[in-house]
Amino acid sequence: MKALLKFKKWLLQDLYWILNENFVMKFILIFILLFSINIFPQVDKFRQYQDTTDWQKWGKANYSYQHQEPATSEQRYYSLKGENFGGTILKSFADAYWFFISDVDGDNCSFNPTCSSFFIQAVQRTNILQGTLMFADRFTRDLNLFKLNHYPRVEDGHFYDPVSLYTLNRSVIKITPPESFVNTE
Amino acid sequence: MIPTICLVFLFFSQAFPQKDSSDYFDINSTSNIKKFADYLFCADDYLRAALEYEKYLSSYYNDTVEFKIGLSYSRIGNYSKAIEWFNKIKNNSGFSNDARNEYFKSLFQSGDYYNFRKYYSENIVNNDKIRNLDKLFYFSYFFTDDELPPRNDFLNPFNLKEENKINEFYQRKTNPPYKSVAAAVIMSSLIPGSGKIYTGQIGDGIIAAIATGLCGYLAYDNFKAKHNFRGWVFSGLIAFFYAGNIYGSAASAQIYNAGIQFNFQNDVKLYLNQQNYFTPEYDFCK
């Protein structure tokens, strides 16, 4: 208790000295006090209007300025889930082709979707016969080296050539001008 | 002396902002909301302008503001919202005719041509200010598969200056330069690749002809040399390329025709945009 009283006395003496004797310290203390008062109302003001301005309404854009590689032409879906008997056999062949040949050989098909994916999608959308005919046509078109201005592009530069254009169903044909870019994501 | 001046300056600087905030910074006041919304509208920031105007309308009714909300939504392509707001404007308002114009314009732009014609037929009013909607009514036929009205009826609402262009569109719609799917199929059946060339895919046609021809030659040559297995393999490839090409020619003709329709509708939309869909320009930003 005695020690505490002694400390209090020392503190008061010290404060008295700061406030009455040391002019520089007094100035600094008042400066800090006024500066803090000056700052905090601004913060409050910001909080007060946050509900009514676009700061909260629109929020911060989560955009990374780091360089990002363009998305790859196509993701491989190896899963056989949801396939019927015929689909399972066909998909197994396609999976084997992707795993043992295509992925090793590299990205050679100039189309999106690739010819193998096009075949799978064509069969899924139509039937095995029509799907095979669609694939035969696609394969022939892939042999053509002069297709530069005939197809729109996706972001990684591949030619966009969806299955929906070739099902012979007029209502699902959606034309995209060849000079445009398509976002496939 | 200098420290004292600094202290005095700081003292006053912390006192005045408090006063400012209460007097001038009340952005919640209705007049300030409207000023801000007007500013956003004139800066073409229509989405935020519409939201600010809606906030303003929760305190006061103002038909100009309602109309501007509808215009804002229309200009950013949110036609369902635009239709909703134009529909709210009362018949006794000074904006009732303009709102009706814009209502039908939004309905047209949303691509709901059948409802456009249906509502238009139900709401025909002999009023000069909305007579220009007759033009949009006829234009809607360019975007559907319905049979076009007779040429004279069609051209009736348009003035002499517009008539030439509309006549050209009418001609393109009634006689589109389509390619026949059947012709493409028959041509490819007779000469592989010719159907594709007919539909404008010259490179694809030549490649199909070469692929089929080459496989045919290889099959013939292998059968001739008694290499029957290889002969059958190349025969299978002939069938693959031949059938694929016939199918592809049919698909190619369909895509060609869809492209013709796409280009036609694009040209019509471009013309309508140039004419502002036959609706007046509103200058709220003078």
Side-chain angles (χ1 to χ4, degrees), chain B:
Chain B
M1 187 62 188
I2 290 171
T4 314
I5 291 170
C6 282
L7 283 179
V8 170
F9 174 75
L10 269 172
F11 178 77
F12 280 106
S13 70
Q14 67 103 0
F16 282 113
Q18 313 287 335
K19 190 171 183 294
D20 276 354
S21 68
S22 57
D23 282 3
Y24 304 112
F25 214 64
D26 184 11
I27 60 169
N28 269 324
S29 74
T30 44
S31 61
N32 277 343
I33 289 173
K34 188 166 179 300
K35 272 185 202 166
F36 182 49
D38 285 340
Y39 165 77
L40 291 170
F41 185 88
C42 294
D44 297 346
D45 192 348
Y46 296 115
L47 178 60
R48 297 205 299 171
L51 295 175
E52 292 297 327
Y53 279 135
E54 282 178 38
K55 205 192 291 177
Y56 174 81
L57 275 188
S58 60
S59 308
Y60 289 103
Y61 171 74
N62 184 329
D63 56 352
T64 313
V65 168
E66 273 190 339
F67 186 70
K68 283 168 92 173
I69 294 173
L71 269 189
S72 300
Y73 281 122
S74 166
R75 286 178 185 175
I76 57 172
N78 191 340
Y79 300 118
S80 57
K81 277 262 190 183
I83 287 166
E84 194 183 298
W85 279 98
F86 288 131
N87 223 2
K88 277 184 187 175
I89 293 172
K90 292 165 186 156
N91 281 335
N92 59 2
S93 158
F95 282 99
S96 64
N97 283 327
D98 292 326
R100 193 169 298 184
N101 269 333
E102 291 297 326
Y103 169 84
F104 281 106
K105 179 182 165 185
S106 296
L107 204 57
F108 187 96
Q109 286 181 304
S110 70
D112 193 357
Y113 304 110
Y114 292 104
N115 272 330
F116 173 89
R117 290 208 284 262
K118 187 181 158 215
Y119 297 147
Y120 182 71
S121 305
E122 288 168 3
N123 290 289
I124 287 176
V125 177
N126 287 325
N127 185 330
D128 280 342
K129 282 192 173 177
I130 64 162
R131 190 154 287 168
N132 51 8
L133 287 176
D134 277 346
K135 297 176 181 177
L136 274 189
F137 176 79
Y138 284 112
F139 259 92
S140 70
Y141 283 95
F142 287 146
F143 294 94
T144 59
D145 290 334
D146 295 347
E147 196 185 336
L148 291 182
R151 190 185 294 259
N152 286 340
D153 292 351
F154 201 99
L155 294 175
N156 196 29
F158 298 96
N159 58 38
L160 280 174
K161 208 173 149 192
E162 294 160 344
E163 227 169 56
N164 278 339
K165 195 73 184 166
I166 309 308
N167 219 354
E168 183 202 315
F169 285 141
Y170 192 93
Q171 188 66 23
R172 280 174 70 183
K173 178 71 179 173
T174 45
N175 296 306
Y178 285 160
K179 301 281 184 190
S180 160
V181 175
V185 168
I186 292 167
M187 285 173 83
S188 270
S189 309
L190 298 174
I191 306 167
S194 58
K196 288 250 178 179
I197 293 170
Y198 166 66
T199 60
Q201 302 296 329
I202 297 167
D204 288 347
I206 292 170
I207 293 292
I210 291 173
T212 319
L214 193 68
C215 288
Y217 169 74
L218 288 170
Y220 168 76
D221 202 44
N222 278 292
F223 278 127
K224 200 176 156 190
K226 306 284 183 206
H227 295 146
N228 285 346
F229 178 74
R230 276 185 265 169
W232 284 115
V233 168
F234 285 114
S235 299
L237 282 175
I238 296 172
F240 179 77
F241 284 120
Y242 180 75
N245 179 244
I246 292 172
Y247 182 92
S249 298
S252 179
Q254 267 198 344
I255 294 166
Y256 179 88
N257 295 343
I260 293 285
Q261 198 177 5
F262 177 83
N263 288 336
F264 169 70
Q265 292 186 351
N266 245 11
D267 288 349
V268 174
K269 276 182 188 163
L270 207 65
Y271 178 76
L272 282 171
N273 265 330
Q274 282 168 358
Q275 304 294 325
N276 196 30
Y277 289 77
F278 305 108
T279 52
E281 296 274 4
Y282 308 100
D283 193 1
F284 289 110
C285 302
K286 272 184 181 172

Side-chain angles (χ1 to χ4, degrees), chain A residues 23 27 30-31 34-35 37-38 41-42 45 48-49 51-54 57-58 126 130 132-137 139-147 150-151 165-170 173 175-177, chain B residues 3-4 6-7 10-11 13-15 17-18 21 25-28 36 47-48 51-52 55 145 178 196 200-201 203-204 207-208 211 240-241 243-245 247-251 254-255 258-259 261-262:
Chain A
F23 177 75
F27 174 77
I30 295 172
F31 185 87
L34 282 173
F35 189 75
I37 294 168
N38 205 15
Q42 313 282 342
K45 201 157 63 187
Q48 183 189 346
Y49 294 115
D51 295 340
T52 53
T53 62
D54 54 351
K57 202 179 288 172
W58 299 97
T126 55
Q130 194 176 346
T132 309
L133 289 174
M134 287 163 78
F135 171 67
D137 173 52
F139 190 72
T140 317
R141 284 185 290 113
D142 196 23
L143 294 174
N144 181 8
L145 297 175
F146 305 100
K147 50 183 175 269
H150 283 83
Y151 302 92
L165 290 176
Y166 301 94
T167 54
L168 298 185
N169 182 358
R170 208 163 67 98
I173 295 177
I175 297 293
T176 314
Chain B
T4 314
C6 282
L7 283 179
L10 269 172
F11 178 77
S13 70
Q14 67 103 0
Q18 313 287 335
S21 68
F25 214 64
D26 184 11
I27 60 169
N28 269 324
F36 182 49
L47 178 60
R48 297 205 299 171
L51 295 175
E52 292 297 327
K55 205 192 291 177
D145 290 334
Y178 285 160
K196 288 250 178 179
Q201 302 296 329
D204 288 347
I207 293 292
F240 179 77
F241 284 120
N245 179 244
Y247 182 92
S249 298
Q254 267 198 344
I255 294 166
Q261 198 177 5
F262 177 83

Side-chain angles (χ1 to χ4, degrees), chain A residues 21-41:
Chain A
E21 306 291 334
N22 191 330
F23 177 75
V24 177
M25 279 304 287
K26 189 162 69 178
F27 174 77
I28 289 170
L29 272 179
I30 295 172
F31 185 87
I32 289 169
L33 178 74
L34 282 173
F35 189 75
S36 333
I37 294 168
N38 205 15
I39 288 296
F40 281 109

